[in-house]
Amino acid sequence: MQREQGGRMFEAVDPRADFPAMEESILRFWKERDIFGKTLRTNEGGPIFRFYEGPPTANGRPHPGHVLTRVIKDLFPRYKTMCGFHVPRKAGWDTHGLPVEIEVEKELGLEKKDDILRYGVEPFVRKCMDSVFRYTAEWERLTERIAFWLDLGDAYVTYHKSYVESVWWAIAELWKKGLLYRGHKVVPWCPRCGTALSSHEVGLGYREVEDPSIYVGFRSAEDPRTYYLAWTTTPWTLISNAALTVDPEVDYVYARVGDERLVMAEARVGPVMGKMKFQVEGRVRGRELLGRSYEPLYPYARTDRKAYFIIAGDFVTLDSGTGIVHTAPAFGADDYRVGRENGLPVIQLVDPAGRFTPEVAPWAGRFCKDCDGEIIRDLQRRKLLLRRETVRHEYPHCWRCDGPLLYYARDSWFLATTKVIGRIIGNNRLIRWRPEHIRDGRFGNFLETNVDWALSRERYWGTPLPVWMCERCGDWEAIASMDDLRSRPGARGFDVFEKAREKEPDLSPHLAIHKPYIDAVTYDCQRCGGRSSRVTEVIDCWFDSGAMPFAQWGYPHVPGSREKFEACFPADFIAEAIDQTRGWFYSLLAISTMVFDKAEMPHPFRNCIVLGHVLNSEGEKLSKSKRNYTEPSELIARVGADALRWYFYSSNQPWTSTRFDDRAVAEAQREYIVKLWNVYSFFAIYARIDGFDPSEGAGQVRCFLSSEFAGARGYRPARERSLLDRWIISETNLAVRELRRALDDFDCYGAARVLLELCDSLSNWYVRRSRARFWKGEKDADKYDAYWTLYESLLTMVRMTAPFTPFLAEEMYRNLARSPWPSSVPESVHMCTFPEADESAIDEALSREMALVREIVRLGRAARTAAKLKVRQPLRLAEIVLANPADRETVRKHMALIADELNVKEIRYNDDIVPTQHASYAIRPNFKAIGPKHGALVPKIKAALEKADARAAYGEMARTGRLILDLPEKVELSPSEVEVVVEAREGYAASDSRRAVVVLDTGLDEDLIEEGLAREIVNRVNSLRSEMDLSYDARIRLTISGSDRVVSVCNRFADYIKGETLAVSLSTGPVPQGVATSEADLGGESAILCVSRA
RNA sequence: GGGCUAGUAGCUCAGUUGGUCAGAGCGCGUCCCUGAUAAGGACGAGGUCGGUGGUUCGAAUCCACCUGGGCCCA
């Protein structure tokens, strides 16, 4: 790199940075130099940090919640890369399933499942495949723009042939283990989509709706004037009623109304009958009702089996209803179970599309739920209805098409997760969840109530269920790959796809393993010689995503996949939002546990951060349709991606659902990014003015170690530098230690706090206290110390913040590190190693001392504010009363700093515990120490110490090492068990904390007033300089005219004023013509100031 | 109805195994600084830590109940 003139090593830094533009230029830099690719390769062969990307469905636009997920995912791989790990980061896309089909149906205007058949499965599936990448470009753009480094070029795609075959392999494995079975079960069913949903999908669609709530009488077959009263919110299921269920241990009564008797649980009589007139005529135990029969409500069902009688069940509740439960085995899980136990028929008079079958004469062909009203009116007409109301309750809806679900008995394919649930739970126990309560709370509970995984979907666009079944004998098996299929005897039908491809060479080869082509493949049944063909179903797309640990590599079929899989299993880290508890987290865990008999746990992931939902400023869920949030891209264009990233890391723990708005992001940016930038720009301004060049005299610098800087010009080891320098160096190293600890613990919020604090120390104490060292004229050792200290701190800070704010870090690194060492240091900050704490540079005692110094200064400022004395006005004296004599040394050591910061001439502090006119002492118990030891005596000790003379008590302790109290029990306290505190007395310019009181002498004499005046003059002149837009190092000529006093001050403090204003001359005569002048009011004195460029 | 989670300043959130004036940022008020300058900083006001009861020498923190919220499920 060519040096600029004047030995200016560093580029100028605009104090008002345009972050979005800066980021765009960094993006170009990364791309041109393939920095991400290089970081991926640098640690190849080293230890691996394993990260799994949960595949997003790219058929919608990303919103701020996705940004949260993605920046959390990015942080740890970046950090681990800098720590020397190889971190493969394969991207992935979830491409199958209902979400995709629904989008395509909408686009094609298809309303029902039949419409798809009319449109044609082949073109439909092809449409689906085309649509899955509709928003991929947008996702990729966002991913890149927020600097989520993910290997997008090598993404896994769930519809790819290798992926599907891997999923097939897993299913075949499960089949071999006896975990795949076909069952007739009541499943949550979407009549519009015409498919079953898994329990985790049902969880996605609960909505509050209004349903009828009716009480229906079933007339006894034995006594036509007795009615069994049942309650339901789904009148349409009454047509398929097969039995009534009671609790055998509950008391039932006969309630006479007119000349009819209603049977219901005794406990429900009140709520059910309400104000109706009735008489209780008898009581009977539920057990005694069993077996009694009643007349069916409707005659449409034909069945050979015995039905329409009373059975026992364990699910009868007395919280609602009548204690007698209408039972329709086809439409409820409990109903189905007791139906089976009692040999009941499964009466199913609703077809898969939710329409009544032709037998149901009055309502045949109509959507069942739409007939509720007419059924109710019919019952009313037949005087079988006691009452009708409506009820608002949560009812499951299809998570994609939004239609109401039915519980529906259906043949489906299941995975017997319940058989291995013990192992799944054991595996879960060993996973480190953040927050921890997920493990035994939400996720653990979910596992406890596990039901078998309803795997099959009667749909089109998905991984085909690899089950081939003989048409003749019904024997079936699961196929593990296309090769496996080809090797079956008499296999044929592959030509259907091949022919389609001949006609259309562009046809994706991945379609060969999808419907409808794969359905053409058949082979000979090995058992009976019949023909085996594939069952029609596809599988739940959650199985796809849960199979990614191996399917992303095409394991085990693809050559080399075994090595890759083994190297990257299990994951060290994953992160997704809380809604994935029942989604990806579950499918990953269940599949891994079922497929791999690994003794070594946990797998397939060790650490999981569960993210909270991002809400908008009103606390509402982000909703695409409501547009109730700012698009991430818009926000990034305004404030930059680093700001957004930093907001998500630093605002709160990532698992708390939090309100998010644009203003908060800007705040986060000011708090950290702008502050750090200001420190950086401060450094650059002065380094340029002074021509500070860290490479001058330095040897080979690669890792920014002090040993590498040793020979550089002006470089001295930290121990030879000032207290302040040593302090910030110590703070920096402490921060490195803390930051590593937090990040190793997956605690990004804690990590962000460490950075914030260091940034604040740097900006608001180190730079603030060091300013004068940078702008003084001579380039002495102290000035070099200041440069080197700030420079080294910034270099460390830049590497520490790199995983969090990668753009900011890169920009600063480019200037701070690459300018001086264009070839020896890594070309990107992201290729650097993460800083290591230099334990020898850590001085915790100094940290504590400086904390006290800052506390004293704060007290002094508060005292000034209270006395209305601006800092510009020097004061004679500040008295510091310290509670702890051990602190005296600290004050002595840092006296100059305190005096300067408070602008006082002299600091005095006490050398004994003597109450003064300003402050009093008290001695207090250290509760933490004495509590466990003295228990109930604590209040007495507290009272005794309150009365005690602090000085005497302290003296005794100093002499004897203990303090004996007579309560009258003798209690002995050691020095660590008490604490001396100090308090300001009323009426002085004083301010107190527990450890110190600072008192200001507010008296002003002529000397102090004149000095204050001199500072006023400096202040006004420098304001003028900035109004005139003078550069930082421009020299001026200064002319001041004013009162005798002003002139006298100018003469007395001429050197000071000239030094502070960079004036080459100061005259006190009349003001020359034609130059900038300003009339100033200097607190009572007026003057005319005239500044001209020298 | 069950489970989980949170209820802390006007707002967004911290608060380490219970330890004695309750923390930050923003906002607000009053100022300071003006050589980081359309930035930076200080000081201050503001909270009976949702309510009640309990355990304890001591509770924002532990327990019980109540109350309104969110999420998940039945």
Side-chain angles (χ1 to χ4, degrees), chain A residues 960-975:
Chain A
T960 63
R962 60 195 184 154
L963 179 63
I964 294 176
L965 298 177
D966 199 3
L967 297 174
E969 306 92 320
K970 287 253 184 295
V971 172
E972 193 181 311
L973 299 176
S974 72

Side-chain angles (χ1 to χ4, degrees), chain A residues 197 199-208 394-400 402-405:
Chain A
L197 300 179
S199 54
H200 38 266
E201 287 173 304
V202 177
L204 302 170
Y206 275 86
R207 249 189 25 214
E208 191 168 79
E394 298 275 310
Y395 191 85
H397 288 70
C398 180
W399 64 301
R400 279 299 158 178
D402 222 27
L405 300 181

Side-chain angles (χ1 to χ4, degrees), chain A residues 125-141:
Chain A
V125 162
R126 283 162 63 177
K127 277 266 181 210
C128 287
M129 199 181 84
D130 291 343
S131 82
V132 294
F133 288 137
R134 180 165 306 158
Y135 293 102
T136 307
E138 236 164 294
W139 277 83
E140 288 184 344
R141 208 158 33 241

Side-chain angles (χ1 to χ4, degrees), chain A residues 60-357:
Chain A
R61 287 194 170 84
H63 63 58
H66 297 119
V67 176
L68 166 65
T69 316
R70 292 176 101 60
V71 304
I72 296 287
K73 284 176 176 182
D74 185 57
L75 178 66
F76 297 97
R78 278 182 185 274
Y79 166 64
K80 292 290 179 180
T81 298
M82 292 179 77
C83 289
F85 286 87
H86 176 48
V87 190
R89 275 164 275 178
K90 204 172 168 61
W93 302 106
D94 198 8
T95 56
H96 277 151
L98 268 182
V100 180
E101 292 196 29
I102 302 289
E103 280 301 308
V104 171
E105 282 179 74
K106 271 186 204 155
E107 189 187 317
L108 296 173
L110 309 180
E111 290 188 348
K112 295 189 300 290
K113 203 175 157 191
D114 307 348
D115 297 344
I116 298 173
L117 294 174
R118 273 194 288 279
Y119 178 79
V121 174
E122 184 174 351
F124 181 75
V125 162
R126 283 162 63 177
K127 277 266 181 210
C128 287
M129 199 181 84
D130 291 343
S131 82
V132 294
F133 288 137
R134 180 165 306 158
Y135 293 102
T136 307
E138 236 164 294
W139 277 83
E140 288 184 344
R141 208 158 33 241
L142 177 82
T143 301
E144 275 176 13
R145 186 60 188 81
I146 62 175
F148 176 24
W149 274 0
L150 195 64
D151 199 351
L152 292 164
D154 185 31
Y156 65 90
V157 176
T158 58
Y159 77 68
H160 280 182
K161 185 165 158 286
S162 63
Y163 198 99
V164 172
E165 284 189 284
S166 201
V167 171
W168 277 18
W169 166 81
I171 291 171
E173 287 294 301
L174 299 182
W175 165 67
K176 285 181 202 154
K177 292 178 191 214
L179 295 173
L180 175 67
Y181 70 95
R182 185 187 207 204
H184 190 71
K185 278 198 185 180
V186 172
V187 290
W189 180 264
C190 175
R192 200 214 67 90
C193 300
T195 187
L197 300 179
S198 65
S199 54
H200 38 266
E201 287 173 304
V202 177
L204 302 170
Y206 275 86
R207 249 189 25 214
E208 191 168 79
V209 291
E210 201 155 278
D211 269 326
S213 156
I214 60 172
Y215 294 85
V216 185
F218 289 76
R219 185 194 284 184
S220 166
E222 287 112 7
D223 172 7
R225 283 194 296 194
T226 295
Y227 293 84
Y228 301 105
L229 196 63
W231 172 76
T232 185
T233 56
T234 50
W236 58 272
T237 60
L238 290 169
I239 314 252
S240 302
N241 171 277
L244 295 173
T245 305
V246 299
D247 184 334
E249 304 309 324
V250 160
D251 286 327
Y252 290 81
V253 294
Y254 293 91
R256 171 177 285 284
V257 180
D259 55 357
E260 290 170 344
R261 299 192 306 169
L262 303 176
V263 184
M264 68 195 83
E266 183 170 26
R268 296 300 303 164
V269 172
V272 172
M273 299 304 287
K275 288 176 185 159
M276 219 180 286
K277 281 208 169 122
F278 68 95
Q279 265 181 308
V280 172
E281 271 201 343
R283 178 176 285 108
V284 64
R285 205 60 182 207
R287 188 183 313 116
E288 295 169 49
L289 294 171
L290 300 180
R292 298 203 189 168
S293 48
Y294 60 89
E295 295 174 4
L297 288 181
Y298 289 96
Y300 310 120
R302 255 150 295 190
T303 170
D304 300 336
R305 298 198 183 212
K306 182 171 178 319
Y308 313 118
F309 60 97
I310 295 176
I311 61 175
D314 55 6
F315 51 85
V316 177
T317 166
L318 295 176
D319 297 331
S320 58
T322 64
I324 299 178
V325 178
H326 144 61
T327 303
F331 302 111
D334 285 332
D335 307 45
Y336 188 85
R337 182 167 49 80
V338 295
R340 264 235 298 246
E341 286 162 14
N342 290 280
L344 296 175
V346 178
I347 300 168
Q348 191 148 18
L349 298 172
V350 172
D351 72 11
R355 295 170 301 217
F356 280 116
T357 53

Side-chain angles (χ1 to χ4, degrees), chain A residues 12 24 216 219 227 259 300 352 375 388 530 573 599 626 640 645 770-771 788 811 859 916 918 953 957 1064 1084:
Chain A
E24 298 283 358
V216 185
R219 185 194 284 184
Y227 293 84
D259 55 357
Y300 310 120
I375 294 168
R388 67 169 296 186
F573 166 63
K626 282 195 204 155
R645 289 175 67 107
S770 302
R771 272 159 145 158
W788 276 108
E811 173 68 17
L859 294 174
T916 68
H918 313 299
M957 207 164 268
V1064 292

Side-chain angles (χ1 to χ4, degrees), chain A residues 639-689:
Chain A
V639 294
D642 274 341
L644 198 51
R645 289 175 67 107
W646 183 254
Y647 168 79
F648 283 125
Y649 299 136
S650 67
S651 65
N652 50 44
Q653 302 283 18
W655 46 82
T656 36
S657 288
T658 185
R659 295 184 184 201
F660 165 86
D661 63 70
D662 309 4
R663 247 189 42 219
V665 177
E667 252 171 57
Q669 184 179 40
R670 262 201 308 279
E671 205 176 32
Y672 180 66
I673 295 175
V674 171
K675 207 178 260 183
L676 185 55
W677 186 263
N678 280 331
V679 174
Y680 164 60
S681 103
F682 175 89
F683 171 82
I685 287 166
Y686 290 100
R688 282 166 59 81
I689 289 173

